Amino acid sequence: MRENKKYFKLCVFFSIVVFFIGIFFGCLGPNNISSLAPEDSTFSAIFTNNIKVSLAILILGTITGGIFSQLVIFINGFIIGQLIMFMYNENLLFYLFTGLLPHVFFELFGLSLFIGISHIPLLILVRWLRKNEFHLNKNDVLFYLVIFFIGIVLIGSAALIESNISSVNL
């Protein structure tokens, strides 16, 4: 259990680092953003989209050993980097504080929890292949279920903030 939690925390931390690397490269690359007009900024639309992304991270991340998960968070960061550069070029950086920052940390940590969960099956498989051991007990499953629900609460909080504060300020 302790080794699983340590690996989980490492994967969550790594996903946050990958997100910021994505921001860095997004700031460097050619800018493809032309306006700040949000499409559908209702809570249900934002929450549904975030849940779809989270489930894709869980399912496809699990199948790919977490590679897909890290790619998603990198692309998310890249888009944020593009957005930051657009705001900078258009002298709209104040929207960074009123439109992006109120919800980004909830969304980032929620997605990072899902990413951490998506890496656990790889750890179990590697341990089984190397040592012929299978360490997943009831406490492990309970821990990941709690993390899953915390991730949903964080994603829901981000959607609530984005629909009522962030999108209103854009």
Side-chain angles (χ1 to χ4, degrees), residues 77-89:
F78 186 87
I79 292 168
I80 298 297
Q82 295 267 296
L83 183 63
I84 290 169
M85 289 312 296
F86 171 80
M87 287 189 250
Y88 175 77
N89 291 334

Side-chain angles (χ1 to χ4, degrees), residues 8 34 47 54 63 70 74 77 80-81 95 110-112 116 123 129 131 149 151 157 161 163:
F8 171 79
S34 59
F47 183 69
S54 300
I63 293 169
Q70 297 299 339
F74 175 83
I80 298 297
Y95 284 131
L111 291 176
S112 293
L123 171 70
L129 291 172
K131 301 177 183 178
F149 286 112
S157 300
I161 293 167
S163 64

Side-chain angles (χ1 to χ4, degrees), residues 35-150:
S35 75
L36 286 180
E39 291 177 9
D40 188 357
S41 58
T42 63
F43 170 77
S44 62
I46 295 168
F47 183 69
T48 301
N49 179 62
N50 288 351
I51 289 296
K52 286 178 183 176
V53 170
S54 300
L55 291 176
I57 284 172
L58 278 175
I59 294 166
L60 297 174
T62 298
I63 293 169
T64 63
I67 293 170
F68 177 84
S69 304
Q70 297 299 339
L71 182 62
V72 167
I73 203 74
F74 175 83
I75 291 170
N76 201 329
F78 186 87
I79 292 168
I80 298 297
Q82 295 267 296
L83 183 63
I84 290 169
M85 289 312 296
F86 171 80
M87 287 189 250
Y88 175 77
N89 291 334
E90 299 294 321
N91 293 321
L92 300 172
L93 275 179
F94 60 92
Y95 284 131
L96 182 66
F97 300 103
T98 61
L100 182 64
L101 287 181
H103 78 277
V104 74
F105 295 108
F106 290 97
E107 192 168 330
L108 174 60
F109 290 123
L111 291 176
S112 293
L113 292 179
F114 287 109
I115 290 169
I117 293 171
S118 77
H119 282 76
I120 295 305
L122 177 64
L123 171 70
I124 293 169
L125 178 65
V126 167
R127 197 179 298 138
W128 180 72
L129 291 172
R130 280 188 179 168
K131 301 177 183 178
N132 203 18
E133 295 176 354
F134 183 80
H135 291 287
L136 188 65
N137 58 37
K138 188 168 67 172
N139 290 336
D140 289 333
V141 173
L142 183 60
F143 172 75
Y144 295 120
L145 280 174
V146 168
I147 294 298
F148 176 83
F149 286 112
I150 290 171

Side-chain angles (χ1 to χ4, degrees), residues 17-33:
V17 170
V18 168
F19 175 77
F20 284 105
I21 291 170
I23 290 175
F24 176 75
F25 281 104
C27 289
L28 293 179
N31 200 323
N32 297 319
I33 297 177

